[in-house]
Amino acid sequence: MKIFSIPDTRSLCGLIKKCRGDVMLHFPDGSWVDLKRNHTAWQFLQIMYPGESGLDIRLSNSADTLDFIQYMRESGVSH
């Protein structure tokens, strides 16, 4: 999924913590980092602006998808 805006970083971080599976963030160098396990990536997410290209996020547990969709609908985030 692609996120172009993070209007409420605190809510997004809370959502990520509650996820049952891994939440992978794609970095510009092509690597994927699990936001739940990588402290540096976690900090990066909290201060970054997704920009025109947006953020690529992959969820390892499909049950977490509905929670992300609900977050995006409630906060007006595009995907």
Side-chain angles (χ1 to χ4, degrees), residues 7-60:
D8 186 354
T9 304
R10 218 161 113 186
S11 291
L12 179 61
C13 291
L15 172 62
I16 291 168
K17 287 180 183 179
K18 292 178 186 177
C19 283
R20 298 163 210 60
D22 298 334
V23 180
M24 305 299 291
L25 175 65
H26 187 244
F27 277 94
D29 69 358
S31 64
W32 288 90
V33 180
D34 186 355
L35 288 169
K36 291 176 69 177
R37 295 190 178 120
N38 186 304
H39 184 70
T40 303
W42 182 261
Q43 290 178 324
F44 180 70
L45 176 71
Q46 293 180 54
I47 62 168
M48 76 176 300
Y49 175 75
E52 290 183 21
S53 59
L55 296 176
D56 284 319
I57 293 179
R58 289 191 183 162
L59 305 172
S60 68

